[in-house]
Amino acid sequence: MNKNSILLIDPNFEPANSSNLNLLIKIGVDTFSYSIADEEKELIHAVYDEQECEDGVEKFKERLKTDAYLKLPYQSVKAAIYTPNLVFVPKALFDKQQIKLYTQFFVDTDLQNIYVQSSEQKEFVYIFGISSATDKLLTTNWENVTLLPYDAGLLENAPATDDSNVIIDFTVGSFQLLYFKGKQLNFAQNYQFDGIDELTYYFLLIISQLGIHTKQTSLKVCGIIHKGDDQWNLLAQHFNRIDFLVVPTPFDTNILDDMPAHYYTSLLALQQCG
């Protein structure tokens, strides 16, 4: 472990039973995390999280060599990976014969590894691409891996109670922002920032460009943010309704009792993705 990582383990966890368990993986721009979940017993056995990585994929590659828990066989594996090559297509307009029509909007238009996932809760299809090296890294280690876009957990569990709402998932040095308007996804983007001044710049730019009426829009936050810190105070200056996003789960999360409940919202929410 290093000063930027944490590993929480259920003392009764038996690695020999891993073939009955689920592995959830999140690979961000600057973070890497995973969780081991027991669906039958509705129990979270382990959570590993590392912040401030220079490269999330490289950190994942490094952990694969040294982390014994990642070498275990699992019943199922779900991996959410950050990629700028992602588009959302309304299900009513999606044509599986026209994938190239959608991938022309990718940042990297020459990717060979293209994935299509239908959202279970929202009326759209995810189409995303990842590098051949990352694809090989995941599919070689786990034949049964399901690949998902980075923010799939949040999107599948986003509350739809307000006509307009924003969800922000923070790491130490980046944030993923989702904006819903008319209860439909209107915007999704990841930003890296260095300090509160840069965060303020991005935040005000987003509000301005999207025309977000902050006083009438609810805000849910999760990840590495605390009430009263610089990030929270910045957001509270603009939003009247701000709260932590904690997705209800039937799983026993006793190993997280000493941690803020919203820290691992987006990671644990992957359990509910298809």
Side-chain angles (χ1 to χ4, degrees):
M1 299 296 129
N2 64 42
K3 64 183 178 67
N4 298 322
S5 69
I6 186 170
L7 175 63
L8 304 169
I9 291 282
D10 172 9
N12 298 314
F13 173 51
E14 291 289 348
N17 296 328
S18 67
S19 58
N20 298 315
L21 307 178
N22 301 334
L23 177 65
L24 311 175
I25 298 171
K26 240 187 127 199
I27 304 171
V29 176
D30 57 351
T31 60
F32 167 68
S33 59
Y34 71 78
S35 175
I36 301 171
D38 188 329
E39 206 165 51
E40 183 179 340
K41 294 181 180 179
E42 296 186 334
L43 177 66
I44 299 298
H45 283 293
V47 167
Y48 174 84
D49 180 48
E50 185 157 352
Q51 297 285 317
E52 299 182 88
C53 306
E54 288 188 15
D55 184 302
V57 171
E58 287 302 312
K59 179 55 61 176
F60 169 55
K61 190 185 300 184
E62 177 187 311
R63 295 300 305 176
L64 275 175
K65 296 176 182 177
T66 60
D67 192 325
Y69 295 122
L70 288 177
K71 298 177 186 296
L72 299 172
Y74 289 96
Q75 177 175 272
S76 74
V77 180
K78 297 175 185 176
I81 311 146
Y82 171 75
T83 173
N85 303 293
L86 168 67
V87 294
F88 304 90
V89 181
K91 289 181 179 178
L93 302 177
F94 176 64
D95 181 352
K96 63 181 180 181
Q97 305 299 327
Q98 299 292 329
I99 300 300
K100 287 187 177 180
L101 180 67
Y102 312 119
T103 58
Q104 66 178 313
F105 299 106
F106 282 2
V107 174
D108 305 302
T109 55
D110 58 346
L111 288 174
Q112 300 300 310
N113 302 95
I114 309 300
Y115 290 88
V116 177
Q117 287 281 351
S118 180
S119 168
E120 294 186 2
Q121 303 299 326
K122 309 298 180 186
E123 290 301 313
F124 54 70
V125 172
Y126 309 101
I127 302 174
F128 61 102
I130 60 177
S131 70
S132 297
T134 303
D135 180 273
K136 185 177 181 181
L137 201 60
L138 286 156
T139 56
T140 299
N141 280 277
W142 301 286
E143 293 181 357
N144 59 340
V145 64
T146 298
L147 301 184
L148 298 161
Y150 183 68
D151 45 12
L154 292 181
L155 285 165
E156 292 303 305
N157 294 277
T161 53
D162 297 296
D163 183 65
S164 178
N165 61 82
V166 171
I167 296 176
I168 305 178
D169 183 18
F170 281 96
T171 72
V172 170
S174 68
F175 67 95
Q176 182 76 13
L177 184 141
L178 307 176
Y179 173 46
F180 295 85
K181 187 176 182 181
K183 298 185 180 180
Q184 300 295 320
L185 179 66
N186 191 264
F187 181 79
Q189 191 57 269
N190 183 279
Y191 298 86
Q192 289 183 275
F193 65 93
D194 184 13
I196 192 64
D197 289 341
E198 196 167 346
L199 175 61
T200 301
Y201 167 78
Y202 281 128
F203 184 61
L204 295 178
L205 181 66
I206 291 167
I207 290 175
S208 173
Q209 290 193 335
L210 298 182
I212 298 176
H213 300 291
T214 56
K215 300 303 181 184
Q216 290 80 45
T217 300
S218 66
L219 172 63
K220 298 283 189 181
V221 295
C222 59
I224 312 301
I225 182 172
H226 306 91
K227 233 175 217 185
D229 68 11
D230 288 343
Q231 287 96 312
W232 180 279
N233 291 338
L234 168 64
L235 300 173
Q237 288 176 25
H238 300 276
F239 287 86
N240 287 338
R241 291 176 290 165
I242 174 173
D243 201 359
F244 292 116
L245 175 63
V246 180
V247 176
T249 174
F251 284 72
D252 181 338
T253 57
N254 282 340
I255 63 168
L256 302 177
D257 281 353
D258 293 331
M259 306 295 290
H262 61 277
Y263 262 27
Y264 305 113
T265 293
S266 55
L267 172 64
L268 299 183
L270 293 175
Q271 184 65 30
Q272 300 175 45
C273 295

